[in-house]
Amino acid sequence: MSGIKEICFPDDSGKLYTMNTEALADPQIYARCYCEMSAMRQEKINRLHLENDRKLSLAAGILLDRGLQAYGLREGNVRIAFGEHGKPYLPDFSDIHFSLSHSHEMAMAVFAETEVGCDIEYQKQLNEKLARRFFCPSEYAWIFQTEDLKEQKKRFYRLWTLKESFLKATGMGLLLPLNSFCFAFEGEHLSSFSQQYDDAEYLLEEYSFSDYSAAVCWRAAPCKIACGNGAACVIRNPPAGRFPL
C-alpha cells in the first residue's frame, strides 16, 4: 500500500506508521484494501455511517497489518482481544504491543516492545472549557502564557495528545482522570511528567505535522535508564521533512 510513512525509534524499541486517507479515495483501492482486512475489522467499518470514518477505520487496519508484517504476521490471521477497559492486544503474542489512533484524514499505528499508547489529533479549535475542567492548573496556565491564539491551540493539542497517549499506554482510558497526571514545560519544551498511577517509568515522544499534533508514550523496559521519580521523559521532535504527512 503506497502512502504509508514510517519511522523507527532511535533505540529500535518501536516503530511508528501513518497514512492519509486520501490514498483510499479511489474506490478500487478502497475495495481491495477492505477485502484484505479481517472479518472483525470489516464489521467495524460496516458499522460506521460516515464515509470519512470508514476510511479512517480502514486506514487503521491497514497500518495494523503493515506493522504486524514486521513480525511475520498479518492483520487477517491474528487474534485480537480487549483488556478490561477496552485496550486491544494480541493474546497469542505477548511480546508485541501496539496502539492505533486516527483523526480527520490521518491514521497512526505504533508498535513497541512494551506497553504503548499513541494519539493523533487534527488541530480544529481550542476547547477552553475542556482545558479548564480536565487539565491540571499548571497545564491550563501554560496554554495561556502566550497571547498568540495559534500557539494556544497548538499547546492545547500537544497536551491533549500527550495525555491520551499515556491513558492508552496504561490501558485505563478515561477511567484515569486527566488531571491526575501532569506535564510541565520550560518554554516550549516538555521538561517533566508526574503521575501516581503506578511506579513504572514511561518514555514520551511528540510529533507535529502541519495541522496535526501527535504523541507516543510507552513503558520503559527494565534495562532503560530513566530520569526523575515515577516517570521518564524523552522528547524527540523529528526535524521538518523527516516524517512528512
Side-chain angles (χ1 to χ4, degrees):
M1 177 73 191
S2 62
I4 296 177
K5 309 295 183 181
E6 63 179 75
I7 184 172
C8 293
F9 295 172
D11 56 4
D12 292 326
S13 62
K15 184 174 287 190
L16 183 68
Y17 302 85
T18 67
M19 72 173 288
N20 193 302
T21 56
E22 290 179 355
L24 300 172
D26 185 321
Q28 291 184 336
I29 294 177
Y30 180 96
R32 175 174 57 82
C33 293
Y34 174 87
C35 290
E36 293 175 350
M37 294 291 101
S38 64
M40 185 175 72
R41 175 59 59 174
Q42 290 179 356
E43 181 180 351
K44 185 172 185 177
I45 294 170
N46 294 341
R47 290 198 302 265
L48 300 171
H49 299 291
L50 299 179
E51 179 183 4
N52 188 61
D53 291 341
R54 292 194 294 270
K55 287 180 180 178
L56 285 169
S57 183
L58 176 57
I62 291 170
L63 295 181
L64 176 58
D65 184 59
R66 172 60 69 88
L68 288 172
Q69 288 181 44
Y71 302 92
L73 304 170
R74 299 299 301 267
E75 187 271 344
N77 59 24
V78 295
R79 187 165 59 99
I80 297 178
F82 296 88
E84 180 181 359
H85 305 299
K87 182 177 181 178
Y89 68 98
L90 305 174
D92 300 320
F93 302 95
S94 59
D95 58 334
I96 303 175
H97 302 271
F98 73 94
S99 180
L100 306 174
S101 181
H102 52 66
S103 176
H104 193 52
E105 295 180 339
M106 292 299 307
M108 168 186 283
V110 63
F111 289 78
E113 59 189 26
T114 59
E115 293 290 351
V116 66
C118 73
D119 188 53
I120 186 168
E121 297 290 341
Y122 179 68
Q123 298 175 7
K124 294 178 291 187
Q125 61 184 15
L126 188 158
N127 190 325
E128 189 274 338
K129 291 183 179 179
L130 186 151
R132 180 185 293 274
R133 180 178 179 184
F134 294 109
F135 288 3
C136 299
S138 59
E139 294 171 336
Y140 179 87
W142 177 71
I143 293 174
F144 296 101
Q145 279 178 357
T146 175
E147 295 182 358
D148 186 315
L149 297 181
K150 289 185 177 180
E151 184 61 29
Q152 289 177 2
K153 181 173 69 172
K154 178 181 176 181
R155 290 184 176 191
F156 171 82
Y157 280 100
R158 284 183 66 188
L159 279 166
W160 186 262
T161 54
L162 283 166
K163 285 179 173 290
E164 282 280 352
S165 67
F166 175 69
L167 291 175
K168 289 184 175 182
T170 64
M172 291 295 294
L174 290 175
L175 290 177
L176 190 64
L178 288 171
N179 58 5
S180 67
F181 56 98
C182 295
F183 298 92
F185 295 81
E186 294 181 358
E188 295 303 308
H189 300 288
L190 176 59
S191 59
S192 64
F193 167 46
S194 59
Q195 58 91 11
Q196 286 79 44
Y197 169 70
D198 60 17
D199 294 328
E201 294 170 333
Y202 291 88
L203 304 176
L204 296 153
E205 285 199 3
E206 289 186 272
Y207 302 92
S208 178
F209 325 107
S210 60
D211 294 327
Y212 292 85
S213 292
V216 177
C217 175
W218 70 103
R219 187 189 295 262
C223 62
K224 301 293 183 184
I225 298 176
C227 60
N229 296 319
C233 295
V234 177
I235 307 304
R236 295 189 287 260
N237 293 307
R242 176 180 172 188
F243 190 25
L245 296 184

